[in-house]
């Protein structure tokens, strides 16, 4: 796979000097728990980046619950973490790849090519008796240069146009019940963007929590033509990123993220809301 690496792959390269390992563990609703678990135990040499403090901007009227970070500040944080253009970056979490995929997407969006998500996550690594530590690495700051790839991102105006015209495939990555408007635990309105189809992001993982291979991912998205223009969203632009990664693995070449996602969409009173619609089958059991 192009964007996923196995635990054995990482173990074999753990101390190679051009490798930067990033811990992105984070629990929604418990914003301090990610860093606390990192400080308790993590993969050797891993640095920690926080979803809300490092990989998002403060919430404003628009932009969703996890607005994209200011690019200058992001570049500073990445450089402080030891990431430069020649670095190979391996990212892990304990949330099925959701948080790791957010950083993976940000790196790709800012032009960094060698970014990978670790299959499974920290608990699997620890359960395999691979090395862990509570020691935080000494990092020599470097300069992270941004080479922005604006074609990976869409704003609300383009999403409105796609919804109205049916000109692009809109993928909603949230749980089926949230997509259908049957429940909404996070946001002020329930439902989905009109015209969107539902592919719950955990559907790209198998029953044991591994990422599916490219063939299985193609089967998962088989109703979508390979040449389709695709816009992916979720609640706040985080769990859409595993679907973006998976679609790229499956060979889809025109995939964009609506980073503001549902929480941005409903911040505009004039934006319509749909309920019901086609939903995906129940997702695989998660560990």
């Amino acid at each position: 796979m192009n964007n996923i690496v196995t635990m054995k792959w990482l173990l074999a390269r753990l101390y190679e000097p051009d490798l930067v390992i990033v811990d992105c563990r984070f629990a929604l609703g418990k914003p301090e728990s990610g860093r606390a678990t990192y400080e308790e135990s993590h993969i050797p040499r891993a640095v920690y980046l926080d979803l809300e403090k490092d990989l998002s901007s403060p919430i404003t009227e628009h932009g969703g619950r996890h607005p994209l970070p200011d690019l200058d500040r992001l570049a500073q944080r990445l450089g402080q973490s030891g990431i430069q253009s020649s670095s190979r970056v391996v990212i892990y979490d304990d949330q099925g790849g959701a948080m790791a995929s957010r950083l993976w997407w940000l790196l790709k969006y800012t032009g960094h090519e060698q970014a990978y998500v670790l299959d499974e996550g920290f608990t699997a690594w620890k359960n395999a008796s691979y090395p862990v530590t509570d020691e935080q690495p000494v990092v020599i700051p470097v300069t992270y240069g941004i080479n922005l790839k604006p074609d990976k991102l869409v704003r609300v105006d383009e999403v409105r146009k796609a919804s109205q015209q049916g000109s692009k495939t809109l993928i909603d990555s949230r749980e089926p019940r949230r997509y259908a408007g049957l429940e909404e635990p996070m946001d002020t309105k329930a439902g989905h963007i009109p015209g969107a189809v539902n592919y719950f992001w955990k559907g790209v993982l198998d029953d044991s929590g591994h990422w599916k291979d490219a063939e299985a991912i193609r089967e998962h998205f088989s109703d979508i033509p390979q040449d389709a223009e695709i816009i992916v969203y979720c609640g706040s632009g985080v769990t859409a990123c595993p679907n973006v990664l998976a679609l790229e693995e499956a060979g889809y070449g025109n995939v964009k993220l609506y980073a503001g996602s549902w929480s941005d969409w409903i911040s505009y009173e004039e934006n319509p809301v749909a309920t019901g619609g086609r939903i995906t089958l129940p997702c695989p059991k998660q560990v």
Side-chain angles (χ1 to χ4, degrees):
M1 301 178 79
N2 296 320
N3 300 294
I4 305 292
V5 297
T6 66
M7 295 192 302
K8 287 183 178 180
W9 185 98
L10 178 58
L11 182 66
R13 296 162 176 81
L14 198 55
Y15 295 100
E16 292 183 358
D18 67 327
L19 191 70
V20 178
I21 305 167
V22 184
D23 186 319
C24 283
R25 283 176 286 174
F26 187 90
L28 293 173
K30 300 178 181 178
E32 302 304 320
S33 66
R35 175 164 284 280
T37 56
Y38 166 78
E39 292 177 353
E40 179 182 318
S41 183
H42 52 264
I43 295 175
R45 299 183 63 214
V47 296
Y48 183 76
L49 289 175
D50 183 276
L51 171 65
E52 294 185 345
K53 295 177 181 178
D54 300 314
L55 308 182
S56 305
S57 288
I59 296 173
T60 58
E61 181 183 3
H62 302 298
R65 285 184 281 106
H66 291 110
L68 289 183
D70 173 80
L71 291 178
D72 289 339
R73 185 172 180 278
L74 176 65
Q76 181 183 34
R77 287 296 295 118
L78 295 175
Q80 289 171 345
S81 300
I83 300 173
Q84 57 189 341
S85 60
S86 59
S87 302
R88 290 178 296 166
V89 184
V90 175
I91 316 153
Y92 70 89
D93 59 29
D94 234 355
Q95 288 75 35
M99 309 304 161
S101 294
R102 165 76 164 210
L103 176 55
W104 170 87
W105 184 86
L106 285 168
L107 289 168
K108 293 292 187 178
Y109 176 56
T110 54
H112 193 83
E113 292 300 322
Q114 297 188 87
Y116 309 94
V117 171
L118 180 66
D119 194 18
E120 300 180 270
F122 179 75
T123 295
W125 175 276
K126 188 174 181 179
N127 288 345
S129 298
Y130 290 172
V132 299
T133 184
D134 62 357
E135 295 182 5
Q136 298 188 30
V138 176
V139 179
I140 300 173
V142 294
T143 299
Y144 183 82
I146 289 180
N147 180 22
L148 202 63
K149 306 294 184 182
D151 59 341
K152 292 184 176 294
L153 177 69
V154 296
R155 309 286 183 181
V156 66
D157 289 344
E158 189 172 343
V159 179
R160 282 196 195 105
K161 184 177 179 181
S163 175
Q164 292 165 357
Q165 298 181 354
S167 53
K168 297 176 174 61
T169 299
L170 286 170
I171 291 180
D172 186 313
S173 306
R174 297 171 300 159
E175 296 93 331
R177 290 181 62 82
R178 290 181 68 191
Y179 165 83
L182 299 174
E183 62 182 48
E184 182 45 67
M186 303 293 292
D187 294 307
T188 57
K189 293 182 181 179
H192 59 266
I193 298 172
V197 293
N198 178 227
Y199 284 88
F200 184 30
W201 73 271
K202 288 184 178 178
V204 303
L205 307 176
D206 66 18
D207 289 346
S208 61
H210 291 276
W211 288 77
K212 293 178 178 176
D213 62 25
E215 184 177 352
I217 295 172
R218 279 191 289 272
E219 177 61 28
H220 177 63
F221 292 111
S222 61
D223 288 345
I224 301 176
Q226 283 275 320
D227 61 351
E229 296 181 64
I230 302 172
I231 296 172
V232 187
Y233 75 93
C234 57
S236 67
V238 178
T239 58
C241 294
N243 266 344
V244 174
L245 188 156
L247 286 160
E248 291 197 6
E249 284 289 334
Y252 290 85
N254 194 345
V255 183
K256 301 181 181 183
L257 175 70
Y258 174 26
S261 286
W262 179 247
S263 51
D264 177 62
W265 180 263
I266 61 173
S267 71
Y268 298 89
E269 286 296 326
E270 69 271 22
N271 281 348
V273 169
T275 56
R278 172 200 154 175
I279 63 175
T280 50
L281 295 172
C283 69
K285 178 181 67 177
Q286 297 307 308
V287 294

